[in-house]
PDB file of all heavy atoms in Angstrom:
ATOM      1  N   PHE A   1      24.403  92.570   9.687  1.00  0.00           N
ATOM      2  CA  PHE A   1      23.323  92.139   8.795  1.00  0.00           C
ATOM      3  C   PHE A   1      23.420  92.796   7.423  1.00  0.00           C
ATOM      4  O   PHE A   1      23.412  92.110   6.385  1.00  0.00           O
ATOM      5  CB  PHE A   1      21.979  92.479   9.459  1.00  0.00           C
ATOM      6  CG  PHE A   1      20.775  92.229   8.591  1.00  0.00           C
ATOM      7  CD1 PHE A   1      20.240  90.958   8.478  1.00  0.00           C
ATOM      8  CD2 PHE A   1      20.180  93.271   7.906  1.00  0.00           C
ATOM      9  CE1 PHE A   1      19.122  90.729   7.682  1.00  0.00           C
ATOM     10  CE2 PHE A   1      19.067  93.045   7.107  1.00  0.00           C
ATOM     11  CZ  PHE A   1      18.542  91.776   6.994  1.00  0.00           C
ATOM     12  N   ILE A   2      23.524  94.108   7.388  1.00  0.00           N
ATOM     13  CA  ILE A   2      23.470  94.836   6.115  1.00  0.00           C
ATOM     14  C   ILE A   2      24.696  94.558   5.261  1.00  0.00           C
ATOM     15  O   ILE A   2      24.619  94.448   4.031  1.00  0.00           O
ATOM     16  CB  ILE A   2      23.288  96.359   6.367  1.00  0.00           C
ATOM     17  CG1 ILE A   2      22.758  97.058   5.119  1.00  0.00           C
ATOM     18  CG2 ILE A   2      24.551  97.004   6.860  1.00  0.00           C
ATOM     19  CD1 ILE A   2      21.321  96.742   4.804  1.00  0.00           C
ATOM     20  N   VAL A   3      25.867  94.402   5.899  1.00  0.00           N
ATOM     21  CA  VAL A   3      27.089  94.117   5.133  1.00  0.00           C
ATOM     22  C   VAL A   3      27.107  92.657   4.676  1.00  0.00           C
ATOM     23  O   VAL A   3      27.601  92.351   3.595  1.00  0.00           O
ATOM     24  CB  VAL A   3      28.349  94.478   5.956  1.00  0.00           C
ATOM     25  CG1 VAL A   3      29.620  94.128   5.187  1.00  0.00           C
ATOM     26  CG2 VAL A   3      28.346  95.964   6.300  1.00  0.00           C
ATOM     27  N   ALA A   4      26.552  91.757   5.491  1.00  0.00           N
ATOM     28  CA  ALA A   4      26.431  90.357   5.077  1.00  0.00           C
ATOM     29  C   ALA A   4      25.556  90.268   3.831  1.00  0.00           C
ATOM     30  O   ALA A   4      25.910  89.577   2.853  1.00  0.00           O
ATOM     31  CB  ALA A   4      25.840  89.514   6.206  1.00  0.00           C
ATOM     32  N   LYS A   5      24.427  90.952   3.847  1.00  0.00           N
ATOM     33  CA  LYS A   5      23.530  90.947   2.692  1.00  0.00           C
ATOM     34  C   LYS A   5      24.227  91.528   1.464  1.00  0.00           C
ATOM     35  O   LYS A   5      24.067  91.020   0.342  1.00  0.00           O
ATOM     36  CB  LYS A   5      22.271  91.762   3.004  1.00  0.00           C
ATOM     37  CG  LYS A   5      21.348  91.131   4.038  1.00  0.00           C
ATOM     38  CD  LYS A   5      20.557  89.975   3.455  1.00  0.00           C
ATOM     39  CE  LYS A   5      19.480  89.475   4.389  1.00  0.00           C
ATOM     40  NZ  LYS A   5      18.695  88.367   3.831  1.00  0.00           N
ATOM     41  N   ALA A   6      25.023  92.599   1.670  1.00  0.00           N
ATOM     42  CA  ALA A   6      25.736  93.237   0.561  1.00  0.00           C
ATOM     43  C   ALA A   6      26.759  92.292  -0.057  1.00  0.00           C
ATOM     44  O   ALA A   6      27.069  92.397  -1.255  1.00  0.00           O
ATOM     45  CB  ALA A   6      26.417  94.511   1.039  1.00  0.00           C
ATOM     46  N   ASN A   7      27.285  91.379   0.770  1.00  0.00           N
ATOM     47  CA  ASN A   7      28.263  90.405   0.280  1.00  0.00           C
ATOM     48  C   ASN A   7      27.630  89.066  -0.080  1.00  0.00           C
ATOM     49  O   ASN A   7      28.332  88.069  -0.218  1.00  0.00           O
ATOM     50  CB  ASN A   7      29.358  90.202   1.335  1.00  0.00           C
ATOM     51  CG  ASN A   7      30.336  91.353   1.370  1.00  0.00           C
ATOM     52  OD1 ASN A   7      31.220  91.451   0.533  1.00  0.00           O
ATOM     53  ND2 ASN A   7      30.159  92.256   2.339  1.00  0.00           N
ATOM     54  N   LYS A   8      26.275  89.077  -0.207  1.00  0.00           N
ATOM     55  CA  LYS A   8      25.521  87.877  -0.600  1.00  0.00           C
ATOM     56  C   LYS A   8      25.728  86.703   0.358  1.00  0.00           C
ATOM     57  O   LYS A   8      25.757  85.532  -0.050  1.00  0.00           O
ATOM     58  CB  LYS A   8      25.867  87.478  -2.039  1.00  0.00           C
ATOM     59  CG  LYS A   8      25.455  88.529  -3.068  1.00  0.00           C
ATOM     60  CD  LYS A   8      25.779  88.078  -4.472  1.00  0.00           C
ATOM     61  CE  LYS A   8      25.177  88.991  -5.539  1.00  0.00           C
ATOM     62  NZ  LYS A   8      25.092  90.412  -5.235  1.00  0.00           N
ATOM     63  N   ILE A   9      25.908  87.035   1.642  1.00  0.00           N
ATOM     64  CA  ILE A   9      25.982  86.014   2.693  1.00  0.00           C
ATOM     65  C   ILE A   9      24.574  85.839   3.262  1.00  0.00           C
ATOM     66  O   ILE A   9      23.932  86.816   3.655  1.00  0.00           O
ATOM     67  CB  ILE A   9      26.964  86.426   3.805  1.00  0.00           C
ATOM     68  CG1 ILE A   9      28.375  86.559   3.239  1.00  0.00           C
ATOM     69  CG2 ILE A   9      26.942  85.431   4.958  1.00  0.00           C
ATOM     70  CD1 ILE A   9      29.377  87.167   4.216  1.00  0.00           C
ATOM     71  N   GLY A  10      24.096  84.628   3.312  1.00  0.00           N
ATOM     72  CA  GLY A  10      22.749  84.380   3.828  1.00  0.00           C
ATOM     73  C   GLY A  10      22.657  84.613   5.325  1.00  0.00           C
ATOM     74  O   GLY A  10      23.550  84.222   6.077  1.00  0.00           O
ATOM     75  N   VAL A  11      21.591  85.248   5.764  1.00  0.00           N
ATOM     76  CA  VAL A  11      21.344  85.476   7.187  1.00  0.00           C
ATOM     77  C   VAL A  11      20.162  84.608   7.611  1.00  0.00           C
ATOM     78  O   VAL A  11      19.035  84.793   7.137  1.00  0.00           O
ATOM     79  CB  VAL A  11      21.055  86.958   7.486  1.00  0.00           C
ATOM     80  CG1 VAL A  11      20.752  87.148   8.978  1.00  0.00           C
ATOM     81  CG2 VAL A  11      22.233  87.836   7.073  1.00  0.00           C
ATOM     82  N   VAL A  12      20.430  83.631   8.481  1.00  0.00           N
ATOM     83  CA  VAL A  12      19.399  82.701   8.941  1.00  0.00           C
ATOM     84  C   VAL A  12      18.425  83.410   9.867  1.00  0.00           C
ATOM     85  O   VAL A  12      17.206  83.301   9.724  1.00  0.00           O
ATOM     86  CB  VAL A  12      20.035  81.501   9.679  1.00  0.00           C
ATOM     87  CG1 VAL A  12      18.947  80.560  10.198  1.00  0.00           C
ATOM     88  CG2 VAL A  12      20.998  80.764   8.770  1.00  0.00           C
ATOM     89  N   GLU A  13      18.980  84.155  10.826  1.00  0.00           N
ATOM     90  CA  GLU A  13      18.129  84.839  11.811  1.00  0.00           C
ATOM     91  C   GLU A  13      18.778  86.132  12.274  1.00  0.00           C
ATOM     92  O   GLU A  13      19.982  86.193  12.526  1.00  0.00           O
ATOM     93  CB  GLU A  13      17.862  83.938  13.019  1.00  0.00           C
ATOM     94  CG  GLU A  13      16.928  84.577  14.042  1.00  0.00           C
ATOM     95  CD  GLU A  13      16.601  83.655  15.202  1.00  0.00           C
ATOM     96  OE1 GLU A  13      17.511  82.899  15.622  1.00  0.00           O
ATOM     97  OE2 GLU A  13      15.458  83.691  15.695  1.00  0.00           O
ATOM     98  N   PHE A  14      17.963  87.164  12.378  1.00  0.00           N
ATOM     99  CA  PHE A  14      18.372  88.455  12.934  1.00  0.00           C
ATOM    100  C   PHE A  14      17.513  88.678  14.168  1.00  0.00           C
ATOM    101  O   PHE A  14      16.292  88.753  14.068  1.00  0.00           O
ATOM    102  CB  PHE A  14      18.152  89.564  11.908  1.00  0.00           C
ATOM    103  CG  PHE A  14      18.542  90.937  12.392  1.00  0.00           C
ATOM    104  CD1 PHE A  14      19.877  91.307  12.457  1.00  0.00           C
ATOM    105  CD2 PHE A  14      17.582  91.847  12.787  1.00  0.00           C
ATOM    106  CE1 PHE A  14      20.248  92.567  12.895  1.00  0.00           C
ATOM    107  CE2 PHE A  14      17.937  93.105  13.231  1.00  0.00           C
ATOM    108  CZ  PHE A  14      19.278  93.473  13.283  1.00  0.00           C
ATOM    109  N   SER A  15      18.148  88.716  15.342  1.00  0.00           N
ATOM    110  CA  SER A  15      17.338  88.763  16.564  1.00  0.00           C
ATOM    111  C   SER A  15      17.830  89.814  17.546  1.00  0.00           C
ATOM    112  O   SER A  15      19.010  90.166  17.581  1.00  0.00           O
ATOM    113  CB  SER A  15      17.343  87.395  17.252  1.00  0.00           C
ATOM    114  OG  SER A  15      18.644  87.075  17.715  1.00  0.00           O
ATOM    115  N   LEU A  16      16.894  90.286  18.341  1.00  0.00           N
ATOM    116  CA  LEU A  16      17.183  91.172  19.458  1.00  0.00           C
ATOM    117  C   LEU A  16      16.932  90.394  20.738  1.00  0.00           C
ATOM    118  O   LEU A  16      15.865  89.809  20.916  1.00  0.00           O
ATOM    119  CB  LEU A  16      16.284  92.410  19.414  1.00  0.00           C
ATOM    120  CG  LEU A  16      16.399  93.359  20.615  1.00  0.00           C
ATOM    121  CD1 LEU A  16      17.801  93.947  20.707  1.00  0.00           C
ATOM    122  CD2 LEU A  16      15.368  94.476  20.517  1.00  0.00           C
ATOM    123  N   GLY A  17      17.919  90.354  21.614  1.00  0.00           N
ATOM    124  CA  GLY A  17      17.782  89.639  22.867  1.00  0.00           C
ATOM    125  C   GLY A  17      18.391  88.246  22.787  1.00  0.00           C
ATOM    126  O   GLY A  17      18.903  87.815  21.754  1.00  0.00           O
ATOM    127  N   MET A  18      18.327  87.551  23.910  1.00  0.00           N
ATOM    128  CA  MET A  18      18.871  86.191  24.002  1.00  0.00           C
ATOM    129  C   MET A  18      17.824  85.282  24.636  1.00  0.00           C
ATOM    130  O   MET A  18      16.886  85.750  25.267  1.00  0.00           O
ATOM    131  CB  MET A  18      20.151  86.207  24.852  1.00  0.00           C
ATOM    132  CG  MET A  18      21.247  87.095  24.280  1.00  0.00           C
ATOM    133  SD  MET A  18      22.681  87.230  25.373  1.00  0.00           S
ATOM    134  CE  MET A  18      23.326  85.557  25.274  1.00  0.00           C
ATOM    135  N   GLY A  19      18.024  83.967  24.484  1.00  0.00           N
ATOM    136  CA  GLY A  19      17.115  83.011  25.109  1.00  0.00           C
ATOM    137  C   GLY A  19      15.972  82.618  24.201  1.00  0.00           C
ATOM    138  O   GLY A  19      16.051  82.736  22.974  1.00  0.00           O
ATOM    139  N   PRO A  20      14.851  82.178  24.782  1.00  0.00           N
ATOM    140  CA  PRO A  20      13.702  81.715  23.992  1.00  0.00           C
ATOM    141  C   PRO A  20      13.085  82.849  23.173  1.00  0.00           C
ATOM    142  O   PRO A  20      13.045  83.997  23.608  1.00  0.00           O
ATOM    143  CB  PRO A  20      12.700  81.230  25.066  1.00  0.00           C
ATOM    144  CG  PRO A  20      13.524  81.019  26.299  1.00  0.00           C
ATOM    145  CD  PRO A  20      14.638  82.009  26.234  1.00  0.00           C
ATOM    146  N   ARG A  21      12.576  82.499  21.980  1.00  0.00           N
ATOM    147  CA  ARG A  21      11.916  83.480  21.127  1.00  0.00           C
ATOM    148  C   ARG A  21      10.541  83.840  21.686  1.00  0.00           C
ATOM    149  O   ARG A  21       9.802  82.963  22.116  1.00  0.00           O
ATOM    150  CB  ARG A  21      11.765  82.929  19.707  1.00  0.00           C
ATOM    151  CG  ARG A  21      13.080  82.763  18.988  1.00  0.00           C
ATOM    152  CD  ARG A  21      12.904  81.924  17.715  1.00  0.00           C
ATOM    153  NE  ARG A  21      14.187  81.733  17.052  1.00  0.00           N
ATOM    154  CZ  ARG A  21      15.102  80.848  17.454  1.00  0.00           C
ATOM    155  NH1 ARG A  21      14.848  80.058  18.496  1.00  0.00           N
ATOM    156  NH2 ARG A  21      16.252  80.726  16.817  1.00  0.00           N
ATOM    157  N   ILE A  22      10.231  85.121  21.658  1.00  0.00           N
ATOM    158  CA  ILE A  22       8.882  85.566  22.024  1.00  0.00           C
ATOM    159  C   ILE A  22       8.035  85.653  20.764  1.00  0.00           C
ATOM    160  O   ILE A  22       6.922  85.139  20.694  1.00  0.00           O
ATOM    161  CB  ILE A  22       8.926  86.942  22.727  1.00  0.00           C
ATOM    162  CG1 ILE A  22       9.737  86.853  24.022  1.00  0.00           C
ATOM    163  CG2 ILE A  22       7.513  87.449  23.014  1.00  0.00           C
ATOM    164  CD1 ILE A  22       9.946  88.188  24.697  1.00  0.00           C
ATOM    165  N   ILE A  23       8.583  86.323  19.757  1.00  0.00           N
ATOM    166  CA  ILE A  23       7.860  86.494  18.502  1.00  0.00           C
ATOM    167  C   ILE A  23       8.855  86.458  17.347  1.00  0.00           C
ATOM    168  O   ILE A  23       9.976  86.966  17.471  1.00  0.00           O
ATOM    169  CB  ILE A  23       7.050  87.818  18.505  1.00  0.00           C
ATOM    170  CG1 ILE A  23       6.242  87.956  17.205  1.00  0.00           C
ATOM    171  CG2 ILE A  23       7.962  89.024  18.729  1.00  0.00           C
ATOM    172  CD1 ILE A  23       5.269  89.135  17.230  1.00  0.00           C
ATOM    173  N   SER A  24       8.474  85.833  16.254  1.00  0.00           N
ATOM    174  CA  SER A  24       9.328  85.766  15.077  1.00  0.00           C
ATOM    175  C   SER A  24       8.522  86.152  13.840  1.00  0.00           C
ATOM    176  O   SER A  24       7.326  85.855  13.741  1.00  0.00           O
ATOM    177  CB  SER A  24       9.891  84.352  14.894  1.00  0.00           C
ATOM    178  OG  SER A  24      10.721  84.001  15.974  1.00  0.00           O
ATOM    179  N   TYR A  25       9.227  86.810  12.915  1.00  0.00           N
ATOM    180  CA  TYR A  25       8.583  87.246  11.671  1.00  0.00           C
ATOM    181  C   TYR A  25       9.455  86.822  10.499  1.00  0.00           C
ATOM    182  O   TYR A  25      10.678  86.884  10.574  1.00  0.00           O
ATOM    183  CB  TYR A  25       8.403  88.768  11.667  1.00  0.00           C
ATOM    184  CG  TYR A  25       8.112  89.334  10.293  1.00  0.00           C
ATOM    185  CD1 TYR A  25       6.812  89.378   9.807  1.00  0.00           C
ATOM    186  CD2 TYR A  25       9.149  89.811   9.488  1.00  0.00           C
ATOM    187  CE1 TYR A  25       6.535  89.894   8.552  1.00  0.00           C
ATOM    188  CE2 TYR A  25       8.882  90.322   8.226  1.00  0.00           C
ATOM    189  CZ  TYR A  25       7.581  90.369   7.756  1.00  0.00           C
ATOM    190  OH  TYR A  25       7.312  90.865   6.506  1.00  0.00           O
ATOM    191  N   MET A  26       8.839  86.365   9.422  1.00  0.00           N
ATOM    192  CA  MET A  26       9.607  86.013   8.236  1.00  0.00           C
ATOM    193  C   MET A  26       8.749  86.212   6.991  1.00  0.00           C
ATOM    194  O   MET A  26       7.522  86.112   7.050  1.00  0.00           O
ATOM    195  CB  MET A  26      10.112  84.567   8.303  1.00  0.00           C
ATOM    196  CG  MET A  26       9.061  83.536   8.228  1.00  0.00           C
ATOM    197  SD  MET A  26       8.581  82.603   9.708  1.00  0.00           S
ATOM    198  CE  MET A  26       9.086  83.486  11.094  1.00  0.00           C
ATOM    199  N   ASN A  27       9.417  86.536   5.911  1.00  0.00           N
ATOM    200  CA  ASN A  27       8.741  86.705   4.620  1.00  0.00           C
ATOM    201  C   ASN A  27       9.090  85.490   3.773  1.00  0.00           C
ATOM    202  O   ASN A  27      10.138  85.430   3.142  1.00  0.00           O
ATOM    203  CB  ASN A  27       9.212  88.001   3.963  1.00  0.00           C
ATOM    204  CG  ASN A  27       8.400  88.346   2.731  1.00  0.00           C
ATOM    205  OD1 ASN A  27       7.366  87.736   2.472  1.00  0.00           O
ATOM    206  ND2 ASN A  27       8.868  89.318   1.969  1.00  0.00           N
ATOM    207  N   THR A  28       8.250  84.491   3.790  1.00  0.00           N
ATOM    208  CA  THR A  28       8.545  83.209   3.139  1.00  0.00           C
ATOM    209  C   THR A  28       8.032  83.179   1.698  1.00  0.00           C
ATOM    210  O   THR A  28       7.414  84.137   1.220  1.00  0.00           O
ATOM    211  CB  THR A  28       7.896  82.060   3.923  1.00  0.00           C
ATOM    212  OG1 THR A  28       6.480  82.108   3.720  1.00  0.00           O
ATOM    213  CG2 THR A  28       8.185  82.179   5.412  1.00  0.00           C
ATOM    214  N   LYS A  29       8.287  82.063   1.047  1.00  0.00           N
ATOM    215  CA  LYS A  29       7.794  81.875  -0.318  1.00  0.00           C
ATOM    216  C   LYS A  29       6.275  81.902  -0.358  1.00  0.00           C
ATOM    217  O   LYS A  29       5.668  82.234  -1.383  1.00  0.00           O
ATOM    218  CB  LYS A  29       8.295  80.533  -0.868  1.00  0.00           C
ATOM    219  CG  LYS A  29       9.813  80.460  -1.015  1.00  0.00           C
ATOM    220  CD  LYS A  29      10.232  79.067  -1.459  1.00  0.00           C
ATOM    221  CE  LYS A  29      11.742  78.962  -1.570  1.00  0.00           C
ATOM    222  NZ  LYS A  29      12.182  77.593  -1.950  1.00  0.00           N
ATOM    223  N   GLU A  30       5.660  81.524   0.768  1.00  0.00           N
ATOM    224  CA  GLU A  30       4.201  81.468   0.832  1.00  0.00           C
ATOM    225  C   GLU A  30       3.594  82.754   1.394  1.00  0.00           C
ATOM    226  O   GLU A  30       2.395  82.840   1.599  1.00  0.00           O
ATOM    227  CB  GLU A  30       3.777  80.285   1.699  1.00  0.00           C
ATOM    228  CG  GLU A  30       4.246  78.949   1.148  1.00  0.00           C
ATOM    229  CD  GLU A  30       3.865  77.792   2.045  1.00  0.00           C
ATOM    230  OE1 GLU A  30       3.313  78.051   3.137  1.00  0.00           O
ATOM    231  OE2 GLU A  30       4.097  76.644   1.651  1.00  0.00           O
ATOM    232  N   GLY A  31       4.423  83.744   1.663  1.00  0.00           N
ATOM    233  CA  GLY A  31       3.934  85.007   2.205  1.00  0.00           C
ATOM    234  C   GLY A  31       4.488  85.288   3.589  1.00  0.00           C
ATOM    235  O   GLY A  31       5.308  84.537   4.123  1.00  0.00           O
ATOM    236  N   LYS A  32       4.034  86.373   4.181  1.00  0.00           N
ATOM    237  CA  LYS A  32       4.527  86.796   5.491  1.00  0.00           C
ATOM    238  C   LYS A  32       3.943  85.922   6.599  1.00  0.00           C
ATOM    239  O   LYS A  32       2.762  85.594   6.576  1.00  0.00           O
ATOM    240  CB  LYS A  32       4.167  88.264   5.738  1.00  0.00           C
ATOM    241  CG  LYS A  32       4.810  89.209   4.736  1.00  0.00           C
ATOM    242  CD  LYS A  32       4.360  90.642   4.940  1.00  0.00           C
ATOM    243  CE  LYS A  32       4.990  91.553   3.894  1.00  0.00           C
ATOM    244  NZ  LYS A  32       4.545  92.958   4.028  1.00  0.00           N
ATOM    245  N   LYS A  33       4.814  85.571   7.564  1.00  0.00           N
ATOM    246  CA  LYS A  33       4.354  84.729   8.670  1.00  0.00           C
ATOM    247  C   LYS A  33       4.869  85.298   9.995  1.00  0.00           C
ATOM    248  O   LYS A  33       5.993  85.770  10.093  1.00  0.00           O
ATOM    249  CB  LYS A  33       4.865  83.299   8.514  1.00  0.00           C
ATOM    250  CG  LYS A  33       4.134  82.476   7.464  1.00  0.00           C
ATOM    251  CD  LYS A  33       4.523  81.014   7.564  1.00  0.00           C
ATOM    252  CE  LYS A  33       3.735  80.178   6.566  1.00  0.00           C
ATOM    253  NZ  LYS A  33       4.058  78.740   6.700  1.00  0.00           N
ATOM    254  N   VAL A  34       4.010  85.201  11.007  1.00  0.00           N
ATOM    255  CA  VAL A  34       4.383  85.602  12.368  1.00  0.00           C
ATOM    256  C   VAL A  34       4.126  84.412  13.274  1.00  0.00           C
ATOM    257  O   VAL A  34       3.051  83.799  13.228  1.00  0.00           O
ATOM    258  CB  VAL A  34       3.568  86.818  12.855  1.00  0.00           C
ATOM    259  CG1 VAL A  34       3.924  87.152  14.296  1.00  0.00           C
ATOM    260  CG2 VAL A  34       3.820  88.022  11.959  1.00  0.00           C
ATOM    261  N   THR A  35       5.125  84.050  14.082  1.00  0.00           N
ATOM    262  CA  THR A  35       4.967  82.931  15.023  1.00  0.00           C
ATOM    263  C   THR A  35       5.320  83.400  16.424  1.00  0.00           C
ATOM    264  O   THR A  35       6.062  84.371  16.603  1.00  0.00           O
ATOM    265  CB  THR A  35       5.872  81.743  14.639  1.00  0.00           C
ATOM    266  OG1 THR A  35       7.243  82.172  14.665  1.00  0.00           O
ATOM    267  CG2 THR A  35       5.544  81.222  13.256  1.00  0.00           C
ATOM    268  N   PHE A  36       4.785  82.698  17.418  1.00  0.00           N
ATOM    269  CA  PHE A  36       5.037  83.045  18.805  1.00  0.00           C
ATOM    270  C   PHE A  36       5.649  81.837  19.536  1.00  0.00           C
ATOM    271  O   PHE A  36       5.181  80.711  19.388  1.00  0.00           O
ATOM    272  CB  PHE A  36       3.737  83.461  19.504  1.00  0.00           C
ATOM    273  CG  PHE A  36       3.105  84.690  18.911  1.00  0.00           C
ATOM    274  CD1 PHE A  36       2.187  84.585  17.872  1.00  0.00           C
ATOM    275  CD2 PHE A  36       3.453  85.955  19.371  1.00  0.00           C
ATOM    276  CE1 PHE A  36       1.607  85.720  17.315  1.00  0.00           C
ATOM    277  CE2 PHE A  36       2.880  87.087  18.829  1.00  0.00           C
ATOM    278  CZ  PHE A  36       1.953  86.979  17.791  1.00  0.00           C
ATOM    279  N   PHE A  37       6.706  82.128  20.292  1.00  0.00           N
ATOM    280  CA  PHE A  37       7.327  81.123  21.174  1.00  0.00           C
ATOM    281  C   PHE A  37       7.709  79.837  20.436  1.00  0.00           C
ATOM    282  O   PHE A  37       7.454  78.736  20.916  1.00  0.00           O
ATOM    283  CB  PHE A  37       6.397  80.796  22.345  1.00  0.00           C
ATOM    284  CG  PHE A  37       6.020  82.000  23.158  1.00  0.00           C
ATOM    285  CD1 PHE A  37       4.765  82.580  23.006  1.00  0.00           C
ATOM    286  CD2 PHE A  37       6.921  82.573  24.040  1.00  0.00           C
ATOM    287  CE1 PHE A  37       4.406  83.701  23.744  1.00  0.00           C
ATOM    288  CE2 PHE A  37       6.566  83.692  24.778  1.00  0.00           C
ATOM    289  CZ  PHE A  37       5.311  84.264  24.631  1.00  0.00           C
TER     290      PHE A  37
END
């Protein structure tokens, strides 16, 4: 993640674990958002 950002490579998602999402967080143009499942 950190080296991709340093090389200006976009990161779509940074996740811990596999399978269905439990909780997601993002800092969007409209502000911070938290979603579940």
Side-chain angles (χ1 to χ4, degrees):
F1 174 82
I2 200 71
V3 178
K5 291 284 189 179
N7 284 282
K8 296 182 170 34
I9 298 171
V11 178
V12 178
E13 183 177 37
F14 180 77
S15 66
L16 174 63
M18 300 174 68
R21 292 167 182 78
I22 298 174
I23 183 172
S24 296
Y25 164 86
M26 68 254 20
N27 189 11
T28 72
K29 296 176 182 178
E30 299 178 355
K32 298 176 182 178
K33 284 191 177 183
V34 177
T35 60
F36 297 90
F37 303 103

